[in-house]
């Protein structure tokens, strides 16, 4: 006890994950369909794994470039140029140990002790947790659920800005709600950030998981090069690489040296052989990614169809990412409901309360899965809701 008390308050009080207790409870249960975590069921494709194995075989076991190997930074520039309608150069990219590490570095650069970081809630919980561990104050601004989906209230963001606000974290398409910011939302948020001198930490990791059009609207579409926007991203979702822990930052080239140094002061770089796999993902992975998106869309449609008939279940059809965030009439304790779904329906979901206070009363299902499994899970959830 005494030892714990002597640790930094921010470390002691870091909120534990609200999803893991449910995963730990249901892990290994026979016949359980696990839709609780933010990942699909596929192993990383072999062309990506083989490239990493080749790097290891070639003896790529030494310290390497802090900003990422030049070949990978160039592949990142090609990928962005292909998908985001302008020309990118390799010196804008810094390779990180996953999306989470990119977020930590973006926070380290923009929000220190006592600074306030705004974010839209319900939200992926690691963001406010990481801000708080860094000593900053995460300030949730609620997304509202209207009859036509989730709505971002720009006036509410404006009202939450104080003289201590230094950064605004925006995740679109959103985990867990599936909300996708429109170009108009992004323009207004950018204008607000400019007016108040805020940094935007843009988390557009699900950008290509967009169910309308080629990709979701992006800050890239509305910003000028000199705007204070730091993009955080990851290989985890697009190419089934959650366990690799490789991600990236995209920043104005004048900031690259600073972020490179933050890598030096944290992980001291990403293993070179893993970066070989990441290059293969970017250069040869468009086909795999298109299949992932198509799997997600088919599963989303099936899940929404089944649950739209279910008693007491309500949701906004997700426009992006691969999660369904649904509420159940009269549900008070979403954590209890997630445990009950393990016991009674043999389905693993994430409790909405794990995504902030605004998420209580909701449950989250990840639908980047085999269609049959998603349909079976949806039917089990619907039966459970009927029997409640
Ligand atoms: C919105 C969002 N941002 C960032 C991440 C982090 O990704 P990574 O697994 O690469 O750390 C996740 C992961 O679930 C996420 O949902």
């Amino acid at each position: 006890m005494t030892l714990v008390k002597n640790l930094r308050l921010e470390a002691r009080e870091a909120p534990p994950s609200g999803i893991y207790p449910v995963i730990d409870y249901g892990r290994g249960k026979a016949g359980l369909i696990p839709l609780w975590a933010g990942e699909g069921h596929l192993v990383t494709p072999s062309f990506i794994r083989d490239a990493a194995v080749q790097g290891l075989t070639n003896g790529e076991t030494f310290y390497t470039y802090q900003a990422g190997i030049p070949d990978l930074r160039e592949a990142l520039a090609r990928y962005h140029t292909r998908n985001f309608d302008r020309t990118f150069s390799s010196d804008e990219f810094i390779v990180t140990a996953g999306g989470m590490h990119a977020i930590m570095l973006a926070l380290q650069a923009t929000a220190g002790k006592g600074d306030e970081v705004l974010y839209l809630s319900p939200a992926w919980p690691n963001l406010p947790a990481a801000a708080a561990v860094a000593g900053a104050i995460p300030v949730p601004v609620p997304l509202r659920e209207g009859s036509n989906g989730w709505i971002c209230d720009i006036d509410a963001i404006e009202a939450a800005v104080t003289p201590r606000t230094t950064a605004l974290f925006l995740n679109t398409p959103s985990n867990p709600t599936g909300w996708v910011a429109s170009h108009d939302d992004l323009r207004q948020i950018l204008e607000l950030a400019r007016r108040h001198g805020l940094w935007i930490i843009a988390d557009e990791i699900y950008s290509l998981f967009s169910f309308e059009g080629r990709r979701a609207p992006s800050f890239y579409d509305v910003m000028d090069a000199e705007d204070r926007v730091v993009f955080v991203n990851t290989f985890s979702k697009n190419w089934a690489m959650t366990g690799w822990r490789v991600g990236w930052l995209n920043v104005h080239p004048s900031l690259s040296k600073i972020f490179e140094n933050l890598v030096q002061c944290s992980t001291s770089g990403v293993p070179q052989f893993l970066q070989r796999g990441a290059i293969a993902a970017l250069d040869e992975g468009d086909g795999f990614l298109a299949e992932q998106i198509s799997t997600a869309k088919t599963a989303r449609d099936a899940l929404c169809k089944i649950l739209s008939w279910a008693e007491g279940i309500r949701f906004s059809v997700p426009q992006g990412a691969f999660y369904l965030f649904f509420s159940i009439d009269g549900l008070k304790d979403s954590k209890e409901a997630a445990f009950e779904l393990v016991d009674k329906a043999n389905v693993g979901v994430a409790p909405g309360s794990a995504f902030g206070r605004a998420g209580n009363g909701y449950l989250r299902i990840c639908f980047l899965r085999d269609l049959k499994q998603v349909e079976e899970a949806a039917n089990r959830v619907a039966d459970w809701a009927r029997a409640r």
Side-chain angles (χ1 to χ4, degrees):
M1 253 344 252
T2 330
L3 281 178
V4 170
K5 269 197 210 147
N6 287 299
L7 292 173
R8 268 179 76 229
L9 180 75
E10 291 86 349
R12 277 188 277 135
E13 299 209 333
S17 158
I19 306 176
Y20 273 91
V22 184
I23 296 184
D24 288 341
Y25 181 68
R27 201 192 310 267
K29 191 167 179 257
L32 181 127
I33 304 176
L35 306 178
W36 36 38
E39 62 186 350
H41 60 291
L42 294 180
V43 170
T44 309
S46 57
F47 67 89
I48 298 176
R49 285 184 280 137
D50 290 348
V53 170
Q54 193 57 54
L56 201 49
T57 306
N58 292 347
E60 293 185 337
T61 58
F62 296 93
Y63 288 133
T64 188
Y65 295 86
Q66 299 302 297
I69 58 176
D71 285 353
L72 177 52
R73 296 175 77 198
E74 275 156 28
L76 281 165
R78 283 194 292 279
Y79 167 82
H80 280 75
T81 301
R82 213 159 59 233
N83 286 299
F84 293 97
D85 312 304
R86 76 162 169 84
T87 305
F88 291 77
S89 65
S90 61
D91 60 352
E92 298 174 50
F93 296 94
I94 305 290
V95 179
T96 61
M100 192 58 223
H101 183 222
I103 289 172
M104 282 173 63
L105 300 192
L107 286 168
Q108 283 175 8
T110 61
K113 199 164 179 63
D115 292 336
E116 292 174 5
V117 180
L118 305 183
Y119 68 101
L120 298 179
S121 176
W124 183 59
N126 290 28
L127 173 270
V133 170
I137 302 161
V139 178
V141 177
L143 271 173
R144 273 190 297 113
E145 197 174 15
S147 50
N148 277 328
W150 292 87
I151 301 162
C152 163
D153 182 346
I154 307 288
D155 292 339
I157 302 180
E158 179 89 48
V161 176
T162 76
R164 302 172 83 171
T165 313
T166 58
L168 192 161
F169 180 90
L170 196 94
N171 168 221
T172 173
S174 147
N175 172 11
T177 59
W179 167 76
V180 175
S182 66
H183 280 119
D184 200 40
D185 290 329
L186 296 175
R187 265 188 219 102
Q188 291 189 59
I189 290 168
L190 183 65
E191 196 273 320
L192 181 154
R194 283 176 180 159
R195 216 165 353 97
H196 294 283
L198 309 182
W199 281 93
I200 291 174
I201 302 174
D203 179 336
E204 301 183 359
I205 73 165
Y206 298 103
S207 183
L208 301 187
F209 283 90
S210 163
F211 304 121
E212 260 171 54
R214 182 170 64 94
R215 64 161 169 82
S218 163
F219 276 112
Y220 291 126
D221 303 328
V222 298
M223 66 184 278
D224 295 334
E226 303 291 324
D227 273 312
R228 296 183 199 180
V229 185
V230 171
F231 290 85
V232 294
N233 217 319
T234 178
F235 287 85
S236 291
K237 314 288 174 169
N238 285 7
W239 300 282
M241 292 170 71
T242 47
W244 288 57
R245 315 310 307 132
V246 187
W248 71 89
L249 285 153
N250 172 235
V251 297
H252 189 276
S254 65
L255 306 180
S256 293
K257 280 275 165 241
I258 304 289
F259 281 95
E260 179 176 351
N261 200 34
L262 292 179
V263 171
Q264 171 66 42
C265 301
S266 49
T267 56
S268 298
V270 173
Q272 190 169 349
F273 60 93
L274 294 183
Q275 297 191 50
R276 296 288 171 204
I279 294 170
L282 293 167
D283 284 346
E284 300 162 46
D286 284 357
F288 177 79
L289 177 54
E291 280 168 31
Q292 292 261 88
I293 295 163
S294 153
T295 300
K297 186 169 186 329
T298 311
R300 175 197 72 154
D301 293 346
L303 178 63
C304 290
K305 192 165 167 194
I306 295 170
L307 290 189
S308 65
W309 296 329
E311 226 165 277
I313 291 186
R314 291 170 211 288
F315 56 87
S316 305
V317 176
Q319 302 304 307
F322 40 73
Y323 307 100
L324 181 72
F325 205 53
F326 61 99
S327 64
I328 301 183
D329 290 351
L331 183 70
K332 296 241 157 32
D333 185 337
S334 61
K335 192 169 166 199
E336 197 179 280
F339 280 102
E340 207 181 298
L341 273 160
V342 170
D343 286 336
K344 297 199 174 151
N346 226 4
V347 177
V349 303
S353 52
F355 304 91
R357 198 174 301 155
N360 208 3
Y362 288 83
L363 296 165
R364 187 197 75 175
I365 281 183
C366 170
F367 55 76
L368 181 60
R369 285 260 154 185
D370 175 65
L371 180 62
K372 288 257 164 316
Q373 270 198 348
V374 172
E375 284 176 338
E376 174 62 24
N379 283 318
R380 291 186 195 176
V381 170
D383 289 347
W384 167 81
R386 196 171 305 120
R388 278 180 85 231

